[in-house]
Amino acid sequence: MAEAKSRYEDIPIPEELSERVMAEVEKAQIRYRKKTAGKRRRTFMKGGMAAAAAAVVLFTAGVNTSEVLARELQDVPVLGTMARILTFRSYESETEDLKISVDIPSVEMISDELSGMEDAVNEEIHMFCQEYADAAVERAEDYRQAFLDTGGTEEEWEAHHIAIKVWYEVKSQTGRYLSLAVMGSENWTSAYSETRYYNFDQEAGKWITLEDVLGKDYARIAEQSVRRQIEQRQTEDGVEYWLDEWEGIDEDTGFYMNSAGNPVIVFEQYEIAPGAMGMPEFEIVMSGEQ
Amino acid sequence: MRQALYDRLVAYIIENQNKFYRLAFSYVQNQEDALDVVQNAVCKALENYESLRDEGAVRSWFYKILVNESYAILNAKKRMILTDDSSCWEIPYEEEGFEPQDDLYDRIGRMEKDVQSIIKLRFFEELTLNEIAEALRMNLNTVKAKLYRGLKTLKVEIGEERGV
């Protein structure tokens, strides 16, 4: 029987196999995302207040020493005279099988008249980063357990090099707008990758939504523009977008303000296009009447 | 949690795709069909992940789908071939003095479908008898009886051969 088994195990695996399997996984990922999107996506407008109480604890616990904070304050990008973004807390840990790196940003308003505007957002950001990192560790642990339960060895598991990353990017810093993206991702699954965008309008003196930028009719305006651009890209690049799955724009749709002062809508990977397209972006160019 | 379960399923599939392919290939005996079997099985599994209730049952649950997909393609082929009138694709390939391990593997492949599946799942894929019972939707005792009967047949044949 051992010999029969070794003959069985010698059946060659065609290269095409993983492509075919991943294609199905990608397709299913869309269906799954769509199903759970409503539950997962949350903006600070909605969730921030509820999280506030817990965030205060995190805030005080998060600053290791004032010395560290002071050191980090020195090399921060200054955004005009409005605000600066600093790394509020940064940590990395690496074991044989799990690597975590977390950079939690914090917004600090510089001018006195805006001070205080950042508090709720900072709390939201800290919560998001911490929750994402914790959940990702848990998912990795579940995955590890499943792998071992199904006959994998510890050594094979280590070869997976699971990495969890939470970080941020300043998307734009114009005289008027500050756009910050906070991201979480895991290298072994894209199903949970999440990005949140925070946009501050100095002129209006507040954190803005798409509606603030595009007006009451923002959903229709943005959707039309995105659809038009997708059509164009489909014919130009021959890439198929999954418009059937798309539910349009709503208040949770992620966007940042680009240097031209236009909102750019960003989709998660796999949300409306094959994974190879990355995170598709669509600039909504506002026409003259705006 | 649903989400964790779904993710475990995806991870399990990616992790074990080579095994799925080998099992599928052992039934359908060609690359194109084996790829189709695996792809269909992955699609069905991810579409119906909600019917997967118990985390511990991922393996038997997935093999059930995989074996069914393999049978489905075999059956479709069989129908085609019968109407095709070309005599058969299942002619036993036997040659006196051929390497014994080839014979045993081929012989398993020619056994009655249920027995074949039980032996493959038990010895090649190393499922437990309980898992096999679940995967093939059979009573545990039926699985045992068929397995022992199947092994007996194989041993007898091997024994006879060696005696010659």
Side-chain angles (χ1 to χ4, degrees):
Chain A
M1 191 57 82
E3 283 166 347
K5 188 181 179 189
S6 87
R7 190 173 153 198
Y8 175 81
E9 280 170 351
D10 284 344
I11 294 174
I13 305 296
E15 270 174 38
E16 211 188 326
L17 177 67
S18 67
E19 281 166 35
R20 303 265 295 257
V21 169
M22 285 319 289
E24 286 305 322
V25 169
E26 275 194 21
K27 267 196 270 170
Q29 211 82 277
I30 319 308
R31 293 193 297 265
Y32 187 73
R33 260 186 180 287
K34 199 184 157 196
K35 247 189 215 168
T36 53
K39 277 175 253 162
R40 283 193 328 114
R41 278 158 66 207
R42 194 162 52 92
T43 65
F44 85 92
M45 298 301 217
K46 279 186 193 163
M49 290 303 126
V56 175
V57 178
L58 181 86
F59 195 90
T60 45
V63 186
N64 300 330
T65 62
S66 54
E67 198 187 331
V68 171
L69 191 61
R71 184 152 36 85
E72 280 170 356
L73 272 167
Q74 287 169 4
D75 47 55
V76 288
V78 176
L79 311 167
T81 53
M82 170 171 53
R84 60 188 159 200
I85 306 293
L86 55 107
T87 301
F88 170 71
R89 190 178 172 211
S90 174
Y91 63 91
E92 252 178 66
S93 80
E94 187 167 2
T95 59
E96 300 81 44
D97 60 354
L98 184 64
K99 190 175 158 190
I100 308 170
S101 84
V102 178
D103 287 325
I104 305 179
S106 201
V107 183
E108 188 181 290
M109 295 300 175
I110 292 171
S111 68
D112 286 342
E113 66 214 76
L114 294 175
S115 80
M117 293 294 305
E118 68 270 43
D119 293 349
V121 166
N122 283 337
E123 281 160 14
E124 162 74 14
I125 291 172
H126 302 155
M127 279 300 285
F128 167 64
C129 293
Q130 201 63 49
E131 279 175 1
Y132 189 92
D134 290 347
V137 169
E138 220 171 278
R139 284 192 288 269
E141 187 48 44
D142 280 350
Y143 180 22
R144 191 182 87 99
Q145 198 55 50
F147 181 74
L148 297 178
D149 287 350
T150 51
T153 66
E154 291 280 359
E155 276 155 17
E156 285 167 342
W157 170 253
E158 280 171 24
H160 283 68
H161 300 298
I162 299 287
I164 295 166
K165 197 175 170 201
V166 177
W167 77 109
Y168 65 91
E169 263 172 35
V170 176
K171 301 297 285 188
S172 74
Q173 36 184 308
T174 62
R176 178 168 177 186
Y177 297 109
L178 157 64
S179 287
L180 176 66
V182 186
M183 292 157 282
S185 75
E186 287 137 273
N187 66 343
W188 65 279
T189 169
S190 59
Y192 300 98
S193 296
E194 196 171 347
T195 308
R196 294 195 185 179
Y197 296 90
Y198 302 93
N199 301 289
F200 191 81
D201 180 347
Q202 189 180 19
E203 243 167 61
K206 65 174 189 171
W207 296 91
I208 51 171
T209 62
L210 263 185
E211 184 174 355
D212 293 325
V213 187
L214 296 173
K216 267 217 142 23
D217 213 12
Y218 73 98
R220 197 185 53 80
I221 294 170
E223 186 173 335
Q224 274 180 359
S225 172
V226 169
R227 281 186 187 277
R228 206 167 40 239
Q229 292 181 60
I230 283 179
E231 245 169 66
Q232 200 179 341
R233 289 183 201 181
Q234 287 189 143
T235 44
E236 278 172 12
D237 310 334
V239 176
E240 192 194 341
Y241 284 76
W242 302 314
L243 280 173
D244 297 347
E245 306 280 348
W246 187 41
E247 285 169 340
I249 304 285
D250 64 22
E251 56 184 338
D252 288 344
T253 304
F255 75 99
Y256 66 86
M257 302 301 292
N258 67 9
S259 52
N262 289 325
V264 178
I265 291 183
V266 191
F267 292 94
E268 293 285 348
Q269 193 178 16
Y270 296 114
E271 194 175 347
I272 59 157
M277 300 303 291
M279 295 169 65
E281 298 195 351
F282 299 91
E283 180 181 11
I284 312 298
V285 180
M286 287 176 282
S287 42
E289 69 261 32
Q290 273 290 326
Chain B
M1 214 178 88
R2 279 283 97 190
Q3 222 167 5
L5 188 56
Y6 178 83
D7 232 47
R8 270 186 71 159
L9 177 60
V10 171
Y12 171 76
I13 288 171
I14 294 172
E15 206 65 59
N16 293 285
Q17 49 179 296
N18 290 2
K19 288 177 169 222
F20 304 155
Y21 176 82
R22 288 197 186 98
L23 186 65
F25 189 92
S26 79
Y27 287 108
V28 300
Q29 299 292 335
N30 75 77
Q31 176 174 325
E32 257 327 295
D33 287 341
L35 284 169
D36 282 346
V37 167
V38 175
Q39 189 171 2
N40 291 348
V42 170
C43 175
K44 286 199 177 152
L46 293 174
E47 232 166 41
N48 300 304
Y49 75 97
E50 273 161 336
S51 74
L52 173 60
R53 289 274 155 240
D54 172 17
E55 296 200 16
V58 170
R59 203 149 70 125
S60 55
W61 182 79
F62 192 88
Y63 275 109
K64 174 161 63 188
I65 299 171
L66 189 66
V67 170
N68 281 343
E69 287 303 314
S70 302
Y71 286 0
I73 286 198
L74 279 183
N75 289 338
K77 272 260 158 85
K78 214 180 234 167
R79 271 198 302 277
M80 234 168 61
I81 286 164
L82 283 180
T83 54
D84 231 23
D85 196 37
S86 68
S87 57
C88 96
W89 53 292
E90 243 185 333
I91 285 193
Y93 173 72
E94 277 186 83
E95 196 181 323
E96 213 67 44
F98 209 69
E99 280 180 82
Q101 81 258 28
D102 280 294
D103 280 336
L104 180 56
Y105 178 82
D106 289 335
R107 196 161 280 152
I108 292 169
R110 286 195 305 271
M111 296 180 92
E112 184 204 328
K113 234 169 18 183
D114 284 347
V115 182
Q116 191 184 133
S117 295
I118 292 170
I119 291 179
K120 284 178 185 166
L121 292 177
R122 182 72 194 98
F123 295 103
F124 298 167
E125 294 299 324
E126 290 168 2
L127 265 65
T128 65
L129 291 176
N130 271 317
E131 284 176 318
I132 295 171
E134 266 176 59
L136 300 178
R137 275 175 290 204
M138 274 179 204
N139 182 297
L140 181 58
N141 287 326
T142 315
V143 172
K144 283 184 189 164
K146 284 188 184 238
L147 175 62
Y148 298 136
R149 211 182 314 132
L151 285 178
K152 214 176 152 197
T153 316
L154 287 173
K155 266 185 198 141
V156 165
E157 288 186 0
I158 293 165
E160 276 168 359
E161 212 164 76
R162 283 200 179 133
V164 169

